[in-house]
């Protein structure tokens, strides 16, 4: 199965839309992950209110669905900011200043790692190895890979 990622803005959450997604994908082998990915893509996160709907469609317990959502870090539990900055914290990036970059970005955007700024502008997240070690420190900014980053470069990308 191919999942096409669209750059459409997330839709407002509605349980009926979750049910439509779940019903459309329930016939797949192992449908839970594709359903969760589709919900995450459609709304920008997996709302707590989606869990019982998905559980009902798949005849699972809410705890089973919750366990999968909490296990995989790619499923957001709250809406992300307008810009998502994922800073690599693997060894090569740490050696080249990733921790200093994170501290600078936390100050610059007034947000802690793993959180979204109060104005909803930036979500700052950690990832572990983007495969861009030769260009450390590296990050994904709104899904685009960057290397040899410093705070002014990140700020310029987020300001676009």
């Amino acid at each position: 199965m191919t999942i096409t990622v669209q750059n459409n803005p997330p839709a407002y959450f509605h349980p009926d839309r979750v049910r439509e997604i779940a019903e459309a994908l329930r016939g797949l082998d192992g449908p839970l992950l594709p359903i969760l990915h589709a919900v995450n893509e459609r709304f920008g996160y997996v709302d707590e209110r989606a869990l019982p709907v998905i559980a009902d469609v798949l005849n699972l317990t809410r705890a089973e669905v919750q366990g999968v959502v909490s296990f995989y870090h790619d499923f957001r539990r709250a809406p992300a900011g307008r810009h998502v900055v994922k800073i690599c914290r693997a060894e090569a990036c740490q050696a080249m200043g990733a921790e200093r970059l994170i501290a600078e970005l936390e100050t610059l955007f007034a947000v802690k790692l793993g959180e979204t700024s109060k104005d909803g502008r930036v979500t700052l997240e950690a990832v572990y190895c983007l495969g861009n070690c030769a260009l450390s420190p590296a990050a994904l900014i709104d899904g685009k890979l960057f290397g040899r980053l410093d705070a002014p470069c990140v700020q310029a990308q987020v300001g676009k």
Side-chain angles (χ1 to χ4, degrees):
M1 181 177 112
T2 302
I3 296 177
T4 304
V5 176
Q6 300 174 354
N7 289 327
N8 297 331
Y12 289 105
F13 178 81
H14 196 282
D16 291 345
R17 302 297 81 80
V18 173
R19 185 167 296 280
E20 289 171 5
I21 291 167
E23 291 286 350
L25 299 175
R26 74 189 284 179
L28 296 173
D29 287 336
L32 182 54
L33 284 174
I35 290 169
L36 290 170
H37 280 291
V39 168
N40 200 60
E41 177 69 25
R42 173 80 181 265
F43 302 107
Y45 68 108
V46 179
D47 192 286
E48 191 72 25
R49 297 169 291 173
L51 304 183
V53 175
I54 295 168
D56 179 58
V57 170
L58 297 180
N59 196 30
L60 298 171
T61 66
R62 182 183 164 144
E64 289 171 307
V65 178
Q66 169 66 33
V68 172
V69 171
S70 64
F71 180 80
Y72 292 102
H73 296 283
D74 284 341
F75 298 126
R76 295 189 182 287
R77 301 309 305 266
R82 290 185 302 280
H83 300 282
V84 178
V85 179
K86 296 182 177 188
I87 305 291
C88 179
R89 294 185 81 187
E91 290 82 1
C93 286
Q94 284 185 31
M96 297 301 289
E99 296 304 316
R100 182 180 67 249
L101 176 60
I102 290 168
E104 291 172 357
L105 294 176
E106 287 179 332
T107 299
L108 180 66
F109 297 123
V111 64
K112 293 289 184 192
L113 194 62
E115 298 178 356
T116 298
S117 61
K118 290 182 183 182
D119 63 3
R121 183 173 170 223
V122 176
T123 297
L124 190 60
E125 298 178 340
V127 293
Y128 295 88
C129 197
L130 294 168
N132 201 28
C133 303
L135 301 175
S136 299
L140 285 174
I141 303 173
D142 297 331
K144 185 175 178 186
L145 183 62
F146 290 88
R148 295 192 179 123
L149 283 174
D150 57 19
C153 180
V154 174
Q155 184 175 27
Q157 292 302 314
V158 169
K160 288 184 176 180

